[in-house]
Amino acid sequence: MNKNLRKAVIAGNWKMNKTRPEAKALLEAIIPLVANAKDKIEVIACVPFTNLETAVAVTAGSNIKVGAENVHFEKSGAYTGEISADMLSEVGAEYVVVGHSERRQYFGETDETVNKRTKAALAGGLKPIVCVGELLAEREANITEEVISRQIKLDLADISAEDVKKAIIAYEPVWAIGTGKTATADQAQEVCAFIRATLAKLYDNATADAVTIQYGGSMNAKNCAELLSKPDVDGGLIGGASLKAEDFNVIVQAAVEG
Ligand code: PGA
């Protein structure tokens, strides 16, 4: 498996943080810091719906792409409070986080709805960042691979090889998210490699080699270099550390270094 076949992707996941003026200020601080990453790696800010228009305007002409944090699976209709892929594309979002563990944990997201959202995102011209990851109890029961394999198979069901190459998979062990407990670089590598092997079985080697697989879960300025040096860790989905321009930039620079 050849890492050079894929561009590294560092994506911030802002979660439910930042008003519009705060979003503008944070992006204006990040833009000059990461300008040197242009053409080397992909830098994305996934922001709350209310910040999308601001983020698209502020990042215009920069090398930062904008993503949303969720998308509904229907095209339009009586779904009060929901946002469609077409709406996100129209506002200028290029990416969308799908199936984040916080959505699975607090908002009833299932593998079935993750699959529907992933398909809707692709149909609407968005690149989905599909999140998978095991709970602490599942890791302790030695069923991490079983859990990840099931999530990958169900979340990507009926998605073509051509489409899956547009997706990013984020491996986010639930026990590492927002807890300060990072997976070791070896643990992250092991599961990212397992995800790639699963993709190779479901599709083929060339497809598996083309898909970007990120690690997420307490990745920060201190631990990013080691995590990103691993052959199957193609980038990061960054929560807390994406809210501070300097910390986010350290992670971007680590990915530029490879
Ligand atoms: P964290 O979040 O970096 O704050 O652990 C990662 C994520 O939830 O995507």
Side-chain angles (χ1 to χ4, degrees):
M1 300 290 172
N2 188 347
K3 199 172 186 176
N4 297 329
L5 296 172
R6 305 174 291 274
K7 219 178 192 183
V9 181
I10 299 296
N13 172 16
W14 289 11
K15 309 193 179 184
M16 196 172 74
N17 292 294
K18 304 293 175 189
T19 61
R20 282 185 303 167
E22 289 167 350
K24 184 170 181 284
L26 177 56
L27 288 166
E28 283 173 347
I30 294 172
I31 289 167
L33 297 177
V34 305
N36 69 312
K38 190 175 191 304
D39 303 326
K40 294 184 186 126
I41 73 158
E42 199 88 77
V43 183
I44 307 168
C46 296
V47 304
F49 291 134
T50 50
N51 288 341
L52 284 171
E53 200 168 356
T54 304
V56 168
V58 174
T59 57
S62 81
N63 55 320
I64 300 180
K65 304 270 170 62
V66 174
E69 299 177 12
N70 190 24
V71 60
H72 191 58
F73 39 81
E74 296 295 344
K75 256 190 105 52
S76 64
Y79 303 100
T80 303
E82 296 297 326
I83 305 284
S84 73
D86 288 346
M87 291 170 182
L88 296 176
S89 289
E90 191 276 330
V91 86
E94 292 181 54
Y95 290 84
V96 62
V97 179
V98 175
H100 190 278
S101 67
E102 284 149 19
R103 297 221 60 89
R104 294 179 191 254
Q105 211 174 333
Y106 308 133
F107 303 104
E109 192 81 74
T110 63
D111 287 314
E112 189 189 348
T113 55
V114 173
N115 178 244
K116 286 166 96 170
R117 287 182 214 280
T118 304
K119 286 179 182 160
L122 288 162
L126 298 165
K127 293 178 190 159
I129 302 175
V130 182
C131 303
V132 297
E134 81 286 2
L135 305 170
L136 183 59
E138 292 167 336
R139 176 162 283 268
E140 286 175 348
N142 277 321
I143 56 168
T144 297
E145 292 194 348
E146 221 171 291
V147 171
I148 300 292
S149 159
R150 183 186 159 84
Q151 289 176 338
I152 292 287
K153 285 177 189 160
L154 294 175
D155 297 354
L156 301 180
D158 303 319
I159 293 174
S160 68
E162 197 191 321
D163 270 349
V164 88
K165 287 183 199 163
K166 297 176 196 153
I168 293 172
I169 311 288
Y171 167 54
E172 299 209 307
V174 180
W175 48 271
I177 296 177
T179 57
K181 279 189 208 155
T182 323
T184 64
D186 287 340
Q187 284 172 326
Q189 164 58 23
E190 198 178 4
V191 181
C192 289
F194 175 76
I195 291 172
R196 204 175 305 285
T198 306
L199 292 173
K201 270 191 219 153
L202 289 174
Y203 299 94
D204 51 68
N205 280 341
T207 304
D209 251 343
V211 176
T212 295
I213 303 176
Q214 298 174 315
Y215 168 80
S218 299
M219 193 189 275
N220 58 38
K222 288 206 178 90
N223 59 30
C224 59
E226 198 189 349
L227 286 159
L228 293 169
S229 72
K230 293 293 175 183
D232 286 288
V233 180
D234 305 320
L237 184 56
I238 322 297
S242 72
L243 299 172
K244 292 189 194 122
E246 291 75 18
D247 287 4
F248 187 63
N249 180 47
V250 172
I251 300 171
V252 168
Q253 299 309 327
V256 169
E257 297 296 313

